[in-house]
Amino acid sequence: FVAPPHARSAARAAISLRWRPGRQAASTIMSAHWMDHLKFGGSTPSFDVIEKTKDYIAATEASRTEKNPASEYYAEDYLFRGPIIGPITNYDVDATQKDFNISSAYPDLDRGVFGFTIDPQNPYRCMFFERWTATHTGTLKIGDFLSIPPTGKRVELPTHLTTIVWNPEGKIVYQSLSPPIDRFEGNTKGAGAIFGLLVAAGLEAPSAVGDISLILQQKFINDILKGGLGLGKSWSSEED
């Protein structure tokens, strides 16, 4: 890829502004980003991205009672990434979720989805908010050794942002989940998504980005146990 003359001139000017002694860097440096390939060369989707995202969400809801009807939406190179999870493949995501049986422990889980919008810099990327609520009425299984009986507790989680990137063929190639937007929301001590549900059930699990105990725990489970003992993986290997 060769940038047009005006782009090359702008880049040179930006670099000059940044490094010239006595002058502040007031211009944006043009540089490649690993997510640029998710813009698919600046093409335009042939489908309604928001409506397709809503169809996918409906399929994930149906997955609680049916045999994963959402699986047809994922591209072969699909990756998921969260604040402290990922990058992880769909195969490893499914395996981990089965080991934690969240749907059985919280059968009335409502993701509270709202605020759909399209990224103005990428027409293939849909963003929306989620504010989960649920009641802990079933036994929560964590790996092969720990089960937490139902507490009957009503759970309200802080809002987070979800983003989904579709490819030109209409398959999801990348999905991400943000940390809680406002950690003072809800009754899970600032923990969001799956970690929030674990905290609500009574498991004091570290969930903060950069928490050294969490990092060591994840490395042990991933690198030593290889996701065994029903604990699942936090990220997939490069081979996956």
Side-chain angles (χ1 to χ4, degrees):
F1 173 77
V2 178
H6 66 275
R8 295 198 297 269
S9 297
R12 285 195 297 267
I15 293 171
S16 175
L17 280 173
R18 178 168 181 145
W19 294 110
R20 187 173 300 171
R23 183 177 293 184
Q24 292 184 344
S27 180
T28 301
I29 303 295
M30 295 179 64
S31 60
H33 190 278
W34 68 267
M35 291 189 74
D36 287 346
H37 78 282
L38 295 177
K39 297 178 181 179
F40 303 102
S43 60
T44 300
S46 60
F47 49 89
D48 188 318
V49 171
I50 288 181
E51 289 305 313
K52 199 166 185 67
T53 300
K54 290 179 178 180
D55 290 343
Y56 163 68
I57 292 173
T60 62
E61 294 295 319
S63 295
R64 299 183 196 178
T65 56
E66 302 174 24
K67 185 179 178 180
N68 199 9
S71 61
E72 65 183 61
Y73 286 87
Y74 302 116
E76 290 186 2
D77 55 348
Y78 166 91
L79 284 177
F80 173 84
R81 196 159 205 163
I84 55 177
I85 299 294
I88 187 169
T89 65
N90 186 45
Y91 176 84
D92 287 334
V93 169
D94 278 347
T96 299
Q97 289 180 341
K98 289 176 182 177
D99 289 329
F100 279 76
N101 81 318
I102 292 295
S103 294
S104 298
Y106 293 92
D108 66 341
L109 175 64
D110 182 355
R111 292 168 59 184
V113 178
F114 66 99
F116 291 88
T117 190
I118 298 296
D119 183 347
Q121 295 185 4
N122 184 356
Y124 289 94
R125 189 182 191 196
C126 183
M127 302 177 174
F128 53 91
F129 298 99
E130 299 190 45
R131 183 185 288 125
W132 294 8
T133 56
T135 311
H136 183 205
T137 56
T139 298
L140 177 61
K141 172 189 171 187
I142 302 173
D144 294 339
F145 305 106
L146 180 61
S147 293
I148 300 178
T151 62
K153 182 178 181 179
R154 181 64 178 168
V155 186
E156 298 177 4
L157 279 70
T159 304
H160 66 260
L161 179 73
T162 298
T163 68
I164 290 176
V165 181
W166 300 84
N167 64 20
E169 290 72 43
K171 301 290 186 179
I172 300 173
V173 68
Y174 179 75
Q175 184 171 354
S176 66
L177 187 152
S178 79
I181 295 173
D182 184 349
R183 64 187 179 86
F184 298 105
E185 276 190 309
N187 59 357
T188 58
K189 303 177 183 178
I194 299 299
F195 279 92
L197 297 178
L198 296 178
V199 169
L203 183 68
E204 294 297 330
S207 60
V209 176
D211 186 301
I212 188 63
S213 62
L214 176 62
I215 293 173
L216 293 175
Q217 172 184 300
Q218 289 179 313
K219 285 183 175 294
F220 177 73
I221 294 173
N222 253 69
D223 299 341
I224 306 300
L225 298 181
K226 306 298 182 183
L229 302 181
L231 296 174
K233 292 184 176 180
S234 294
W235 56 81
S236 298
S237 64
E238 291 187 14
E239 292 75 17
D240 295 332

